[in-house]
Amino acid sequence: MITRQFGSEVRWMLRRPRTLIGLFGLVLVPIVISFGIWTAGEDEGGGPPGLGAILQGNGMVVPIFTLFLSLNLLLPLVASIWAADGLAGEAQHGTLRGLLVAPVSRVRLLFVKLFGLAAMSLFAVTLMAVVGIIAGTAFLGTDGMMTLSGTTLDTGEGLLRIALFVVLVTFQMVSIGAVALAVSAATEHPLVVQAATMTTIIVFQVLGQFSSLDWLHPFLITTGFPGLIDVMRDPVPLDQIWDSTLLAGCYLLIGTGLAAMRLITKDN
Amino acid sequence: MTTSTSAPVTAPSTTAVAARTRGLRKEYGSTVAVDRVDLELPQGAVLGMLGPNGSGKTTTIRMLLGLVRPTEGEIELLGRRLPDGAEQVLPHVGALVEGPGFHPFLSGRENLVRCAAFEPLLPRKQIKQAVEEALDRVGLAQAAHRRYRGYSLGMKQRLGLAGALLVPRKLVVLDEPTNGLDPAGTREIRKIIAELHAAGSTVLVSSHLLSEVEATCTHVAVLHRGTVVAQGELTELLQAGGSALQVITPDVEKALSALRQAKISARPLGDGLRVELAGTSAPQVIETLVQGGARVFEATRWKTGLEELFARLTEAEEAERGMSAVDTLDGGSR
Amino acid sequence: MNNRKVTLAAAAAGVVAGAAGLGLLAMPAGAGQPPTLPDVSAESLVEQVLTSEPGAFGGTVQVDNKLGLPSIAEIPQLADGKHSARIWTDGNGRFRAALPNGQSEQTVVHDGKTTWSWNSADNEVTKAERKPDGSKPDERKPDAKAEAANPAEAAKQVVGLTKEFSDISVDGTARVANRAAYELVLTPKASEKTLIREVRIAVDSELKMPLRVAVLTNGTSEPAGMVGFSEINVGPQDPKLFEFTPPAQAKVTTPEAKEERDRDRSPELGLEQALQGENPQVFGTGWDTVVGARIPAEAMSQVPAEAQGLVDRFTKKVSGSWGSGKVFTTKVATVLIADDGRVVAGAVPEQVLFDTIGQVK
């Protein structure tokens, strides 16, 4: 039964025009980046800082660079849209009532929504990575994958790194989505959910800039984003990656718990 | 009919009920939406729930379906207490509450398939068939491939009904099912309700259209200001509330004084008077009138329509509250 | 009803657990219970530290810097805060150090013959080869950097240089990078005119290798600077770590070429080089040693305006019988730059510098 509900949920999300538009937009990112780096071409020292500096001729890094960039804004936005449509949107259309009367228990409904979010996030992130590999390899060429530490990994190991990064980014995205689901459970207006989520993410990032607020930083999910780049170091230092993931895990717990509490007590 | 085999044995006094509420109360903040609702929905009945807008019909229905938690009171649905038993009984309940709710970007069929996926009683393999049957039943088969977005109000309503009928139900709850339907559509809904009734399902229809209820229901519950002001079998209610005699007479004054002396309540109406038959009978009234010297041209038994009953029930209270002056005047004229 | 309450409680527990988790994550890693170790005398511990041969290990070094240095965009590692580096060594001179810098990374690998210095930010490898005559041309820079990141080496140097001028004691034990350690404390003797109150060195109880160095200054209880392992694994390291092949896309240059270019690019290097230059003059001994130098007049005038502005922003103007100049103060060190190009610096109060600057030739 639950697999059938999961399946229905994912099919429903995939049928949404805005999901398709969103996925299309996401896929454009690695293509545009590859193209941009390619046209920047031989210019000395050009290119964005950080990971961007080693993109030239290093196409396998494109998926990681793309996801790393997108994690700041684009992926949270997509996750918030899905979370918003999941509960607030269904409430707005009156379809949530239908599901509850079917009946789907409220806790199960939340897990169906969370699963849908996770499945779609994984799908979107994987899609971006795959397109990134293709576009990166096509535009920038590849000879394995050069890491930030200056070592070169062979293709297989490079793909493993990309897969690890895909999983990590997906988890961050799902955690943000879980918090958005909590908001989504509390309102009937999907836009409120998106606005609240994106405002939070942006405010967190701004707060992260103020060193006078450094006591606050460990609590912000956005603090964990930059550490994920450690995937591109060799050997991979795990502590920051682990911290980021635990941080996101806390958000996932809080978001899911709040959403469940709200759903259980909510009148529909 | 098969809800709980033990229920009739342990409680033979009560006829089997599909749903029952006791002392139901729901507050939203400081406003009381529903108060002291004791509703009984006998098995196999078609209960029409009547009431003006804001009388608490929808809130009561939502509580019955476990969508809303009552502030106070008990709900028993198909032999189980809610909300605990919701997962056991709700699969047997089809509902169309507060208008149809579907996704605009999906076709009618896709919407139903999505609903069907969440129906616990529907095996995966039968989903397709159940959806087609439901679409057929509400006459949407032709338009099933079109997006819900483009549906007319009536088509949306039908799709909602189809959703409620995906699985054979023991209880079907329809909140304002004829909203937005043209007369033909309304007739179809009536037909479907009759079919459900014939098949032994219990049906709860809420409506503000009295004729509709009168035409399709076996039982009626009238809600007003959040409470049930009357309920029971339609025929009984009509009889109890509706015994009056319409007398055409030119001698209204004489007639009134004669009746007053006989302690029969009456009031002038049109070119005659209306005599309440409470505590008396038609022959007795006519006898009194004739003895009092009033000429009786015509006397008709007044058969109360639901509309009148409804108006009386919902306005009586109005009168109690706001028009007590009329009341005393009425009393004084007796 | 009950069911609902249970679910509600579970959900609430989830929220609480998540919030508690955030709190735990935000808390600085607890030092843990100090281990119980057999007593050891300060003298023998110092002896063991100086003679210890750490051998092969790999680990993460955390630098916690509260020196009160200004944050300069070009050298973020100097700014206050926590920085980490990873180092590996095979115990025979081959090593690798990875210094993350935001999203970039500097990697220094010494494979026995060649020192490779890779910076991902400019996709460039600097290759310094041991010349046939055996001298090590300009290995200094990358080596110095890597050594500074290695608390074991840093601590050995500190101990070696200062033990005669300090009261040395063992002050309990500590747990560093999950290893049991003695806390060796070097307190400058009363006669030393230094800003530093004490230096605490956590010495691994087994390997006698310093695991952490903390510098405490007068008037504060928190260390002004701390370098220590946050994680260490002792034992042979993957030999691949001590090899480096320049990535296909990277530019490979020699240190000379790079320095040439960098001098134009970052003016603060000029000052650094002047202080480390050919003729540094050392005055005094022990904790209040002062290093002096004279920057050639043309170098002084060559300092670009923006660098001048930078200098002005973080220094204060002073003058005295010795002349006039600017003084730059941090918690552990003071630098005095006279307008005529004389520079003195040391872990001393500025008065000591005023007294010493006259001796600079």
Side-chain angles (χ1 to χ4, degrees):
Chain A
M1 192 67 206
I2 192 126
T3 52
R4 170 169 130 192
Q5 292 168 348
F6 283 164
S8 165
E9 178 71 13
V10 171
R11 232 171 295 130
W12 167 71
M13 291 173 88
L14 275 173
R15 282 282 292 138
R16 270 199 118 86
R18 86 179 62 155
T19 305
L20 298 178
I21 295 170
L23 288 176
F24 181 72
L26 288 179
V27 158
L28 279 182
V29 180
I31 298 177
V32 168
I33 287 177
S34 307
F35 183 75
I37 299 285
W38 177 63
T39 47
E42 308 307 313
D43 298 358
E44 279 289 306
L51 205 50
I54 58 166
L55 275 176
Q56 196 59 255
N58 199 8
M60 291 273 280
V61 182
V62 168
I64 293 192
F65 182 64
T66 307
L67 290 175
F68 187 71
L69 276 192
S70 310
L71 184 56
N72 288 314
L73 216 58
L74 219 48
L75 293 177
L77 176 69
V78 171
S80 78
I81 291 175
W82 287 337
D85 287 340
L87 290 172
E90 293 240 43
Q92 192 186 38
H93 285 126
T95 45
L96 194 63
R97 270 197 305 273
L99 296 179
L100 291 175
V101 170
V104 185
S105 85
R106 291 163 190 232
V107 175
R108 174 181 288 204
L109 181 70
L110 179 61
F111 281 112
V112 168
K113 292 296 170 188
L114 207 55
F115 173 85
L117 181 74
M120 286 303 293
S121 299
L122 183 62
F123 177 67
V125 172
T126 309
L127 192 67
M128 278 178 92
V130 169
V131 172
I133 295 171
I134 295 168
T137 314
F139 280 111
L140 305 174
T142 189
D143 238 340
M145 177 197 260
M146 185 170 87
T147 65
L148 279 174
S149 305
T151 54
T152 306
L153 307 174
D154 60 39
T155 308
E157 212 177 330
L159 287 176
L160 265 178
R161 293 287 177 99
I162 293 172
L164 171 64
F165 200 64
V166 162
V167 172
L168 292 172
V169 167
T170 304
F171 189 70
Q172 297 283 335
M173 199 176 162
V174 172
S175 303
I176 294 168
V179 177
L181 268 181
V183 184
S184 193
T187 175
E188 283 197 4
H189 305 285
L191 272 179
V192 170
V193 182
Q194 285 167 40
T197 311
M198 291 323 289
T199 310
T200 308
I201 291 289
I202 291 167
V203 166
F204 276 17
Q205 282 172 355
V206 171
L207 290 177
Q209 300 294 313
F210 291 105
S211 52
S212 53
L213 294 174
D214 54 1
W215 55 271
L216 188 65
H217 295 171
F219 295 101
L220 308 178
I221 188 168
T222 48
T223 311
F225 294 171
L228 294 180
I229 203 72
D230 282 0
V231 166
M232 279 308 294
R233 303 188 197 277
D234 192 36
V236 181
L238 284 173
D239 38 351
Q240 275 204 88
I241 291 176
W242 195 231
D243 281 354
S244 302
T245 305
L246 282 180
L247 180 64
C250 289
Y251 272 81
L252 180 65
L253 262 181
I254 293 174
T256 312
L258 285 177
M261 286 171 76
R262 177 65 193 144
L263 267 184
I264 294 166
T265 53
K266 191 184 180 189
D267 285 340
N268 284 284
Chain B
M1 0 144 220
T2 54
T3 11
S4 76
T5 45
S6 61
V9 182
T10 50
S13 57
T14 52
T15 50
V17 288
R20 174 190 288 140
T21 71
R22 262 194 220 101
L24 211 54
R25 180 182 171 88
K26 179 66 190 178
E27 296 166 12
Y28 288 107
S30 59
T31 44
V32 179
V34 167
D35 193 17
R36 287 171 283 131
V37 166
D38 300 318
L39 202 64
E40 219 163 84
L41 175 49
Q43 252 176 40
V46 179
L47 175 74
M49 204 187 235
L50 281 174
N53 290 334
S55 59
K57 294 183 306 247
T58 300
T59 306
T60 306
I61 287 180
R62 284 158 81 197
M63 285 192 279
L64 266 179
L65 294 172
L67 289 171
V68 169
R69 293 186 69 78
T71 314
E72 264 173 47
E74 294 171 8
I75 303 169
E76 189 191 313
L77 188 66
L78 297 176
R80 294 272 195 159
R81 285 279 297 274
L82 284 195
D84 283 353
E87 289 201 43
Q88 283 79 46
V89 294
L90 281 181
H92 301 282
V93 179
L96 168 62
V97 195
E98 277 189 287
F102 292 104
H103 296 288
F105 60 91
L106 294 178
S107 72
R109 181 179 284 117
E110 286 167 326
N111 264 307
L112 277 193
V113 168
R114 177 162 159 80
C115 294
F118 289 88
E119 283 293 349
L121 291 183
L122 205 54
R124 188 189 283 265
K125 282 180 188 153
Q126 287 174 27
I127 287 181
K128 218 172 163 185
Q129 198 194 345
V131 166
E132 295 309 322
E133 279 173 13
L135 285 168
D136 251 353
R137 196 163 178 187
V138 297
L140 270 183
Q142 298 304 310
H145 64 281
R146 281 167 50 192
R147 292 225 167 150
Y148 180 73
R149 194 196 307 280
Y151 276 18
S152 70
L153 199 54
M155 291 162 84
K156 290 178 176 173
Q157 199 72 23
R158 287 171 199 224
L159 191 63
L161 194 62
L165 300 177
L166 273 171
V167 188
R169 311 283 193 182
K170 289 180 185 166
L171 171 64
V172 178
V173 178
L174 305 172
D175 189 14
E176 304 278 0
T178 52
N179 238 4
L181 290 184
D182 54 15
T186 310
R187 272 198 301 280
E188 272 173 58
I189 297 272
R190 278 187 202 162
K191 203 183 104 207
I192 288 170
I193 293 176
E195 281 171 18
L196 287 168
H197 180 53
S201 300
T202 313
V203 183
L204 172 60
V205 192
S206 94
S207 183
H208 60 270
L209 293 179
L210 303 163
S211 57
E212 183 182 307
V213 171
E214 200 168 359
T216 52
C217 297
T218 60
H219 290 67
V220 181
V222 182
L223 264 80
H224 184 57
R225 293 176 182 276
T227 52
V228 177
V229 290
Q231 68 171 316
E233 274 187 52
L234 182 64
T235 47
E236 276 176 23
L237 265 183
L238 288 182
Q239 271 165 16
S243 307
L245 205 59
Q246 171 84 25
V247 180
I248 310 287
T249 172
D251 312 316
V252 176
E253 286 306 314
K254 276 188 191 163
L256 277 175
S257 66
L259 288 171
R260 203 178 297 141
Q261 274 171 6
K263 299 207 163 49
I264 296 170
S265 129
R267 61 186 162 98
L269 187 82
D271 48 359
L273 54 153
R274 183 190 150 110
V275 188
E276 299 300 329
L277 287 182
T280 179
S281 66
Q284 211 176 342
V285 170
I286 296 188
E287 200 185 328
T288 316
L289 286 175
V290 173
Q291 279 172 2
R295 290 164 293 170
V296 176
F297 287 178
E298 196 183 327
T300 5
R301 179 70 173 268
W302 189 295
K303 191 165 177 253
T304 331
L306 193 51
E307 192 158 352
E308 219 213 19
L309 173 73
F310 179 63
R312 206 149 42 77
L313 285 167
T314 55
E315 280 157 25
E317 218 175 318
E318 216 71 57
E320 266 170 40
R321 283 161 206 253
M323 296 191 272
S324 48
V326 181
D327 248 356
T328 40
L329 199 80
D330 223 44
S333 73
R334 271 181 201 170
Chain C
M1 194 68 183
N2 250 343
N3 196 2
R4 175 172 179 264
K5 275 193 179 140
V6 169
T7 325
L8 204 55
V15 175
V16 171
L22 280 186
L24 276 179
L25 283 177
M27 266 202 314
Q33 205 65 12
T36 318
L37 294 171
D39 283 348
V40 65
S41 79
E43 290 71 28
S44 69
L45 193 58
V46 166
E47 210 39 52
Q48 285 168 322
V49 167
L50 291 176
T51 55
S52 71
E53 283 296 333
F57 68 87
T60 307
V61 176
Q62 201 94 43
V63 182
D64 195 355
N65 180 346
K66 292 189 194 112
L67 297 179
L69 288 170
S71 62
I72 301 168
E74 289 83 358
I75 8 182
Q77 283 106 331
L78 277 183
D80 280 14
K82 287 197 167 92
H83 305 280
S84 70
R86 294 183 297 151
I87 55 174
W88 297 265
T89 168
D90 70 345
N92 291 320
R94 298 199 297 165
F95 68 84
R96 168 187 279 257
L99 310 156
N101 175 9
Q103 298 164 28
S104 309
E105 182 169 307
Q106 263 177 293
T107 300
V108 180
V109 177
H110 181 67
D111 61 10
K113 287 205 302 269
T114 313
T115 302
W116 302 94
S117 176
W118 149 260
N119 189 346
S120 82
D122 41 21
N123 200 350
E124 191 176 82
V125 179
T126 316
K127 180 183 178 188
E129 250 172 308
R130 199 190 287 266
K131 291 243 171 85
D133 60 5
S135 74
K136 294 201 267 173
D138 243 321
E139 257 181 44
R140 185 195 68 235
K141 246 191 83 184
D143 260 341
K145 219 167 202 163
E147 243 158 51
N150 184 345
E153 286 307 313
K156 265 170 105 166
Q157 283 179 3
V158 170
V159 173
L161 286 172
T162 60
K163 61 172 177 165
E164 308 170 36
F165 308 96
S166 312
D167 298 321
I168 302 175
S169 60
V170 176
D171 181 18
T173 60
R175 195 162 274 284
V176 178
N178 228 358
R179 293 183 71 89
Y182 294 101
E183 281 272 29
L184 185 66
V185 181
L186 294 124
T187 313
K189 291 209 163 98
S191 57
E192 303 285 309
K193 291 170 288 190
T194 176
L195 291 169
I196 291 165
R197 185 174 50 150
E198 63 181 38
V199 172
R200 302 179 75 89
I201 300 172
V203 179
D204 189 285
S205 60
E206 275 176 55
L207 304 169
K208 302 295 184 283
M209 160 184 155
L211 296 176
R212 184 178 66 194
V213 184
V215 178
L216 290 99
T217 53
N218 289 318
T220 52
S221 56
E222 289 274 294
M226 186 143 83
V227 185
F229 286 100
S230 60
E231 184 210 318
I232 184 167
N233 69 82
V234 177
Q237 302 296 309
D238 184 356
K240 280 206 190 104
L241 286 169
F242 307 113
E243 293 164 10
F244 191 82
T245 315
Q249 302 297 324
K251 297 182 285 280
V252 181
T253 63
T254 58
E256 292 82 6
K258 187 173 162 59
E259 215 157 279
E260 194 67 33
R261 209 179 49 221
D262 282 354
R263 216 193 313 270
D264 304 337
R265 240 192 245 164
S266 45
E268 72 275 2
L269 275 177
L271 188 64
E272 194 186 312
Q273 270 161 16
L275 281 176
Q276 294 179 343
E278 306 108 62
N279 56 347
Q281 304 161 47
V282 180
F283 309 101
T285 51
W287 292 98
D288 48 11
T289 303
V290 170
V291 183
R294 185 179 285 274
I295 304 174
E298 71 262 31
M300 281 295 274
S301 57
Q302 267 171 12
V303 177
E306 63 177 298
Q308 194 63 52
L310 204 65
V311 169
D312 287 347
R313 203 146 36 99
F314 302 114
T315 57
K316 93 178 172 213
K317 281 194 162 52
V318 286
S319 61
S321 55
W322 47 271
S324 67
K326 302 188 184 85
V327 68
F328 174 65
T329 314
T330 70
K331 278 188 196 152
V332 294
T334 313
V335 182
L336 175 63
I337 309 166
D339 292 338
D340 57 8
R342 287 174 298 167
V343 178
V344 279
V348 293
E350 57 187 35
Q351 190 54 48
V352 178
L353 295 182
F354 296 158
D355 297 344
T356 318
I357 193 163
Q359 302 170 38
V360 175
K361 293 181 208 79

